[in-house]
Amino acid sequence: MARAAVSGRLSWRTATLVEARAENASARTLVFDVPGWPGHLAGQHVDVRLTADDGYTAQRSYSMSAPADGARVEITVQTVADGEVSPYLVDVLAVGDAVELRGPIGGWFVWRPEQLDPVLLVAGGSGVVPLMAMIRARRKHHNRSVFRLIYSVRTPDDVYYADELRRRARDDHGLEVTFVYTRFGEDAHRISVADVNTHGWPPELEPACFVCGPTGFVETVADILVALGHDPRRVRTERFGPS
Amino acid sequence: MATLSPGFRGRSREAEPKLPPGQYLTHDFPVLSAGPTPKVPTERYEFTIGTETGEKHSWSWDELLKLPAETPTVDIHCVTKWSKLGTSWKGVSLDTLFEDVESAADYAMAHSYGGYTTNLPLEDLLDGQAWLVYEFDGEPLHPEHGGPVRLLVPHLYFWKSAKWVRGISLLLDDEPGFWEAAGYHDYGDPWREQRYQGD
Ligand SMILES: Cc1cc2nc3c(=O)[nH]c(=O)nc-3n(C[C@H](O)[C@H](O)[C@H](O)COP(=O)(O)OP(=O)(O)OC[C@H]3O[C@@H](n4cnc5c(N)ncnc54)[C@H](O)[C@@H]3O)c2cc1C
């Protein structure tokens, strides 16, 4: 496995919410202003820390959903039922409020704009977040490598960035987007070898594969990719949660 | 300087003396690794300790199972913030494996099938602090969780407990492993919250 050097101390910074938009009934995109933000690569995440008035703190990791853009740091959070942190970020935090945040974290699950190999992105649910950062970074840097996104999600109402994905699939040349619905339509199913084989890249093209989502989803897709002949070293994974 | 989060209460504040700072309890067993799960057949499994002089000590799967086994019950702490208390394992103490190994090295690098590495001071692997485990909760260790064999070093963040471990090389000088080179802490003590470099 190649190494990625990241150095320096990660200190907590004050992050002020400057913009928020609902992605759907249970997920919200939050844009923070973080003075002094050092920049980041698509795929990296931040740690967010909340402090109650008695000093109790809780921290969680969130992938950034957009490439570096000055002091702006954008994340998308899905509410987890009886979660400690996510419901606060989705339903309570208001524009003008601040949290603490540090990063960028992670030097492995990243896509660099200098890369020219074909890219396969496979998202399960909120796992689309860091993959969207890669799609946006590709466009922002006028990168011409060919991208395919396979996005597994319950129903069309659960899709994040729906309008933007539709627009980019039409306008960003070399980007293809395929949805696999697990609970919608006659063809509802969990992602299978056929989906990955049909809508991914053949292993001979040596694509960089990025798989992100709940643990079980990531395990399934990574196994499928290896079974189809992809070199395990070209399959990078990020597991979001216990489910 | 703490920024207060108005309206944030957090979960119950019962003192949980077994929980390091910034961690929360989980009853699941989440998985964290950088790539697909390597499938390592036990017939091909081999564990090797290599010293700084190039000497090698190896054990096959069958040889490993014949060594005296221990059944540690320990708390584990992942840098992604979850902790799991009272997990039970079966395996071989590294003290047993290091019995006949002569070395002047202070550092160790664990290597895994799939290419993962992680570095630890050798002293953290000895004196009843570390095991090569092949069972979890009375069952063969599932590949997702590092089977057939993983390292178990419960007093450090769990990324130090290399899954699919196939060897340890002894080094005179410290070198960063996979996550350590990517900005994670060199040592990783959960009680001192050593998550990232500089913590
Ligand atoms: C590297 C990394 C990047 C991440 N990026 C994102 C992101 O971009 N967007 C995002 O929404 N989340 C992301 N997560 C997950 C996030 O860190 C939290 O785990 C999640 O928000 C739940 O926290 P909570 O405090 O609300 O729930 P908790 O109080 O921690 O948990 C409440 C209950 O929900 C279960 N649970 C916890 N997390 C999940 C989950 N992800 N899915 C299903 N059940 C769960 C727990 O086991 C528990 O039973 C990421 C995690 C990691 C490790």
Side-chain angles (χ1 to χ4, degrees):
Chain A
M1 289 179 174
R3 281 187 180 152
V6 179
S7 55
R9 195 187 152 77
L10 287 179
S11 48
W12 291 102
R13 302 168 191 271
T14 302
T16 308
L17 188 67
V18 290
E19 206 182 303
R21 47 183 189 269
E23 294 297 343
N24 57 44
S26 62
R28 184 162 80 143
T29 291
L30 306 172
V31 183
F32 293 99
D33 175 54
V34 190
W37 182 250
H40 58 271
L41 292 167
Q44 290 188 299
H45 68 270
V46 295
D47 278 4
V48 173
R49 178 163 77 179
L50 303 181
T51 305
D53 52 14
D54 65 353
Y56 171 84
T57 63
Q59 338 171 355
R60 296 290 185 271
S61 299
Y62 294 97
S63 300
M64 287 172 278
S65 43
D69 177 13
R72 278 167 74 96
V73 171
E74 178 176 319
I75 62 176
T76 304
V77 181
Q78 166 80 40
T79 300
V80 167
D82 31 281
E84 182 170 34
V85 170
S86 58
Y88 182 85
L89 294 177
V90 174
D91 300 324
V92 181
L93 194 72
V95 169
D97 290 350
V99 298
E100 284 173 296
L101 172 157
R102 68 176 181 164
I105 301 163
W108 176 246
F109 193 82
V110 296
W111 179 80
R112 293 183 161 77
E114 312 79 83
Q115 275 179 243
L116 291 172
D117 37 4
V119 172
L120 173 61
L121 309 172
V122 191
S126 56
V128 72
V129 175
L131 308 182
M132 191 62 185
M134 296 177 190
I135 289 173
R136 289 169 166 168
R138 172 185 183 271
R139 177 69 187 169
K140 178 173 175 157
H141 293 275
H142 307 288
N143 177 294
R144 294 197 187 164
S145 39
V146 283
F147 268 47
R148 281 181 175 172
L149 168 68
I150 306 175
Y151 184 0
S152 163
V153 61
R154 283 180 198 191
T155 74
D157 289 340
D158 296 296
V159 172
Y160 294 10
Y161 324 117
D163 293 341
E164 185 180 339
L165 274 177
R166 203 174 307 121
R167 185 163 39 80
R168 288 188 182 279
R170 191 190 62 209
D171 301 342
D172 289 13
H173 294 296
L175 169 70
E176 287 169 32
V177 179
T178 306
F179 294 95
V180 174
Y181 297 115
T182 56
R183 304 207 192 145
F184 175 80
E186 303 211 322
D187 187 35
H189 67 283
R190 287 179 175 259
I191 196 162
S192 67
V193 185
D195 298 305
V196 180
N197 203 15
T198 310
H199 303 293
W201 299 110
E204 297 74 43
L205 289 186
E206 303 194 331
C209 304
F210 295 91
V211 186
C212 185
T215 300
F217 176 86
V218 172
E219 285 295 316
T220 305
V221 174
D223 285 351
I224 290 176
L225 286 167
V226 173
L228 286 175
H230 291 269
D231 182 341
R233 285 167 300 190
R234 302 193 62 85
V235 180
R236 301 185 180 208
T237 59
E238 184 95 281
R239 295 162 174 87
F240 266 10
S243 68
Chain B
M1 164 221 63
T3 305
L4 289 188
S5 313
F8 174 68
R9 244 156 258 110
R11 207 167 283 129
S12 76
R13 222 60 53 83
E14 309 146 26
E16 176 47 88
K18 290 177 152 182
L19 220 46
Q23 296 294 108
Y24 66 92
L25 263 189
T26 178
H27 300 284
D28 306 317
F29 192 167
V31 174
L32 182 75
S33 36
T37 297
K39 305 290 185 301
V40 187
T42 52
E43 317 86 67
R44 283 218 334 254
Y45 183 79
E46 187 175 59
F47 182 78
T48 303
I49 297 177
T51 72
E52 73 281 10
T53 61
E55 202 181 291
K56 295 217 178 326
H57 302 255
S58 298
W59 293 265
S60 68
W61 170 252
D62 290 334
E63 287 166 341
L64 205 61
L65 293 196
K66 285 194 192 111
L67 295 174
E70 295 183 5
T71 51
T73 296
V74 296
D75 303 339
I76 55 180
H77 310 293
C78 179
V79 71
T80 63
K81 324 275 163 21
W82 57 266
S83 291
K84 196 169 162 66
L85 304 183
T87 58
S88 46
W89 306 81
K90 182 173 176 185
V92 179
S93 166
L94 286 200
D95 294 320
T96 307
L97 297 166
F98 273 95
E99 236 161 55
D100 299 321
V101 177
E102 276 191 39
S103 171
D106 285 330
Y107 300 98
M109 183 74 81
H111 299 265
S112 299
Y113 291 92
Y116 180 75
T117 56
T118 187
N119 59 312
L120 312 96
L122 179 55
E123 63 178 0
D124 285 81
L125 292 176
L126 303 175
D127 295 325
Q129 298 183 93
W131 297 265
L132 274 195
V133 292
Y134 44 76
E135 274 186 22
F136 171 72
D137 247 352
E139 301 280 341
L141 187 58
H142 194 276
E144 260 183 48
H145 293 300
V149 179
R150 81 179 295 161
L151 193 61
L152 175 66
V153 193
H155 70 285
L156 300 179
Y157 278 125
F158 213 42
W159 88 79
K160 296 285 184 181
S161 294
K163 298 182 191 183
W164 318 297
V165 70
R166 61 178 176 82
I168 290 175
S169 43
L170 299 177
L171 307 170
L172 296 173
D173 298 308
D174 196 15
E175 267 178 38
F178 178 75
W179 291 119
E180 294 83 1
Y184 283 76
H185 199 274
D186 195 58
Y187 184 64
D189 179 352
W191 295 96
R192 287 184 281 165
E193 229 185 329
Q194 294 173 334
R195 296 180 195 279
Y196 311 117
Q197 263 171 44
D199 278 357

